[in-house]
Amino acid sequence: MSIASKILDFFTRKSKVVEGGGEKAIQKQQAMGKMTARERIESLLDPDSFQEMDLFVEHNCTDFNMDKKQLNADGVVTGTGTIYGGFPVAIYAQDFTVAGGSLGLAHARKITKLMDHAVKFGMPIIGINDSGGARIQEGVNSLAGYGEIFYRNTRASGVVPQISVILGPCAGGAVYSPALTDFTFVVDKISKMFITGPEVIKSVLGEEISMEDLGGARVHTEVTGNAHFFAESEIECFEQIKKLLSYIPWNNRKTADAIKPREPKITYDITKVIPSDPRKPYDVRNVIKSISDDSDFFEIQDGWAKNVVIGFARFDGATVGIVANQPMHLAGVLDVDSSDKAARFIRYCNAFNIPLLTLVDLPGYLPGADQEHAGVIRHGAKILYAYSEATVPKVTLILRKAYGGGYIAMCSRHLGADFVYAWPTAEIAVMGSEGAANIIFRREIMASSDPEKTRQEKIKEYTDKFSNPYVAASAGHVDAVINPEDTRKSIIHALMVSKNKEEVTVKRKHGIAPF
Ligand code: HXC
């Protein structure tokens, strides 16, 4: 064969493989409002940056007439490229048009090879999931493939960012790869994620449920907390991924790229965010926007466990991870879900060298048998563990209430905060004045000729004593009481001086986190 014929042969082979599952299957994909695997990669990455690997990989399954089936690229497109103007990434996209994107051993090994590259080269890995799960014809070999992916997801955790995008079904054990990764993106009406599908549920439990109600995008962003970002369309989802990548470093040896600093927008006035009545709620995101660069706040998991707010912002151009109680929801209490949400984010920031800013305003942990029985002790411990373990710079600002266990848990000095600031509105106490007075002055109140008057006097006595930041400041638990207008300046200063923080920890294999 001449060189020209060999090159022609190469193009013929290549064009056949890139057809995926063929015209009919592609039309079905498009009719569902879904892009093809290759369109997704092209839309997400920088133009012309994608270099495909393993295009010609084939399965070697011979059962169930599989030897007669050519599965183009074995149902998954893998390779490397750049995103967001030059950020290198490893990416794979399952091709539902080829055998339903089902995962056989060759398909899995294309993914694991890419994951190994990502870890070796220190770049994020993005996995686009659109698959009917384990390739049924391959039996245990497909299960082996999943196992090899899960193993690498775990080993890569905290080394390179791992991003899962659910753009179709992600069924059965397949869900555990996204669950092991750092961030999961879902799209309305397109993403479906569940362990057992509606048919199994019907046959085993006799219950009817639609795929959407079982594991649709809203379910995972509002009910289960399995997904971190919800989008209306695939294009919107890709914009969210790019934005996320702009805040985080490529790997755990780097810090996130800083950008040009900007002042907060004047529309956010820090002096007006907190209501004068301490019992009134407010939106803590307005505090964040009144102090962050350009009033920007990239919120994560905004639809789930809303009593705590997490996300990225920038101060003086550099990324900061923010954890804040949200007085607008359940008065900002910590409970099972909000503890899980905050703890995982704290560990992410710590693994990837992102300083933590904690904004405190909470009455404590949520009381009640429901929470106790749901394991609030075990889940609540995660946040204590995550903060105590974190060695990145930790800055805490107490805005208003910091009561009881909540005070300790929200990155108090006692869990290793490097800087603890409090506004003059801060109330740092074991519990709210009313509850405290009812307990410690119970006898005096009962013995009084006017119990209600005495109760009010005792509440005032306790309020005067503890509903301020000065007792904590006099003990050195708070480093400085600051004027709210100086908040941004103080935070930027704290982050600047703690930039080269180093903490020596006792040698150990790893701790036993309460999860
Ligand atoms: C082999 C599969 C497949 C699979 C789909 N296909 N899933 N082939 N193994 N798991 C094939 C179909 O046979 C069909 O091939 C093509 O993909 C498109 O599938 P359709 O059913 O026509 O598509 P749709 O109607 O959109 O339904 C999508 C679906 C459904 C809901 C995902 O295909 C489905 O229920 N699939 C099986 C899901 C499942 O139970 N997976 C195994 C889970 S167990 P043709 O040739 O007709 O076009 C598991 C264990 C992993 O994953 C454990 C790891 C720890």
Side-chain angles (χ1 to χ4, degrees):
M1 227 191 231
S2 67
I3 292 177
S5 326
K6 282 185 178 177
I7 290 174
L8 186 64
D9 176 53
F10 157 69
F11 277 115
T12 311
R13 285 166 186 265
K14 185 176 168 185
S15 62
K16 175 157 184 346
V17 179
V18 297
E19 272 171 13
E23 201 47 44
K24 224 171 121 196
I26 290 172
Q27 277 170 7
K28 191 178 161 197
Q29 178 88 348
Q30 286 164 341
M32 286 189 281
K34 292 158 66 175
M35 294 188 200
T36 65
R38 286 193 166 76
E39 284 168 351
R40 285 167 172 167
I41 291 175
E42 271 164 35
S43 305
L44 181 55
L45 298 193
D46 293 336
D48 272 339
S49 73
F50 181 60
Q51 297 274 322
E52 189 163 349
M53 283 162 62
D54 290 338
L55 178 71
F56 296 113
V57 161
E58 289 179 19
H59 69 83
N60 61 7
C61 176
T62 52
D63 296 321
F64 306 104
N65 288 329
M66 283 292 280
D67 45 346
K68 299 192 184 72
K69 273 201 180 167
Q70 158 98 37
L71 300 183
N72 284 333
D74 209 43
V76 63
V77 182
T78 61
T80 51
T82 64
I83 189 169
Y84 200 67
F87 204 109
V89 282
I91 187 164
Y92 70 86
Q94 292 179 310
D95 185 348
F96 194 83
T97 68
V98 178
S102 57
L103 182 139
L105 193 56
H107 175 128
R109 293 223 163 125
K110 284 180 69 169
I111 295 173
T112 55
K113 183 180 185 180
L114 186 74
M115 294 172 84
D116 291 342
H117 267 54
V119 171
K120 211 173 357 178
F121 304 142
M123 61 184 160
I125 179 148
I126 300 174
I128 300 179
N129 295 255
D130 186 1
S131 162
R135 188 173 297 151
I136 295 162
Q137 299 91 326
E138 290 202 32
V140 69
N141 277 339
S142 59
L143 301 184
Y146 273 122
E148 290 177 15
I149 293 172
F150 302 160
Y151 175 79
R152 282 169 179 78
N153 283 137
T154 307
R155 304 298 282 238
S157 180
V159 179
V160 291
Q162 299 186 80
I163 290 168
S164 297
V165 197
I166 314 297
L167 295 182
C170 180
V175 297
Y176 283 111
S177 177
L180 288 166
T181 62
D182 306 326
F183 298 106
T184 297
F185 291 74
V186 289
V187 174
D188 199 21
K189 306 206 173 54
I190 288 180
S191 312
K192 311 273 182 288
M193 220 188 342
F194 44 78
I195 290 187
T196 46
E199 280 175 29
V200 178
I201 292 178
K202 191 168 176 209
S203 71
V204 177
L205 303 171
E207 290 169 11
E208 296 234 17
I209 186 162
S210 70
M211 244 193 249
E212 191 65 34
D213 289 343
L214 181 65
R218 290 237 178 254
V219 169
H220 288 301
T221 40
E222 293 173 11
V223 182
T224 67
N226 287 328
H228 300 78
F229 297 96
F230 173 94
E232 301 284 348
S233 67
E234 296 195 14
I235 292 291
E236 186 191 348
C237 170
F238 297 159
E239 291 310 311
Q240 291 172 343
I241 294 170
K242 289 181 214 173
K243 186 149 190 206
L244 170 69
L245 286 170
S246 78
Y247 288 98
I248 62 177
W250 301 2
N251 59 55
N252 66 342
R253 301 187 301 277
K254 290 190 176 296
T255 52
D257 289 343
I259 64 166
K260 191 167 168 273
R262 285 176 194 272
E263 285 301 304
K265 293 181 175 137
I266 49 166
T267 34
Y268 294 95
D269 181 350
I270 197 155
T271 60
K272 300 210 172 83
V273 181
I274 294 199
S276 48
D277 180 348
R279 283 165 305 187
K280 280 215 166 129
Y282 61 92
D283 188 346
V284 76
R285 289 171 296 195
N286 289 331
V287 175
I288 299 168
K289 289 175 186 173
S290 65
I291 53 178
S292 65
D293 281 18
D294 205 25
S295 298
D296 183 40
F297 178 51
F298 186 60
E299 192 172 349
I300 299 167
Q301 286 180 311
D302 62 1
W304 178 68
K306 293 180 180 180
N307 34 328
V308 74
V309 165
I310 58 169
F312 296 119
R314 290 190 179 90
F315 285 82
D316 207 25
T319 300
V320 172
I322 296 183
V323 180
N325 307 118
Q326 174 56 290
M328 244 173 46
H329 287 275
L330 294 171
V333 288
L334 284 176
D335 58 3
V336 166
D337 286 345
S338 59
S339 299
D340 279 11
K341 176 174 165 180
R344 197 156 194 259
F345 181 66
I346 294 161
R347 298 193 93 204
Y348 182 86
C349 291
N350 190 46
F352 288 100
N353 315 312
I354 297 171
L356 284 160
L357 170 64
T358 303
L359 303 181
V360 187
D361 187 349
L362 83 166
Y365 279 89
L366 182 61
D370 283 354
Q371 281 294 307
E372 297 292 346
H373 295 175
V376 70
I377 297 174
R378 180 164 45 89
H379 292 279
K382 294 178 191 177
I383 195 164
L384 305 175
Y385 192 99
Y387 270 131
S388 304
E389 171 191 55
T391 54
V392 287
K394 295 183 281 194
V395 181
T396 301
L397 171 65
I398 302 171
L399 305 171
R400 203 167 62 170
K401 298 186 190 85
Y403 293 163
Y407 156 72
I408 305 170
M410 290 304 291
C411 203
S412 60
R413 156 64 28 77
H414 327 296
L415 301 189
D418 297 298
F419 293 90
V420 181
Y421 298 116
W423 281 358
T425 45
E427 303 170 18
I428 305 168
V430 173
M431 60 170 70
S433 303
E434 208 167 316
N438 283 342
I439 295 170
I440 61 176
F441 301 117
R442 188 167 58 98
R443 281 177 212 284
E444 282 119 301
I445 293 169
M446 276 166 60
S448 165
S449 57
D450 187 345
E452 190 45 35
K453 184 165 169 260
T454 310
R455 206 168 71 86
Q456 291 306 330
E457 282 166 9
K458 293 298 178 190
I459 290 172
K460 186 171 180 313
E461 192 181 324
Y462 194 86
T463 305
D464 291 346
K465 172 78 182 156
F466 283 116
S467 289
N468 61 62
Y470 303 107
V471 178
S474 71
H477 305 321
V478 163
D479 298 308
V481 179
I482 58 169
N483 178 354
E485 288 179 52
D486 293 333
T487 305
R488 179 172 157 84
K489 193 173 141 205
S490 300
I491 290 169
I492 289 177
H493 177 84
L495 294 169
M496 183 268 293
V497 297
S498 58
K499 209 171 175 173
N500 297 318
K501 178 181 174 186
E502 264 188 52
E503 213 168 71
V504 180
T505 49
V506 180
K507 188 171 179 298
R508 63 177 171 181
K509 200 165 176 185
H510 60 72
I512 319 295
F515 56 68

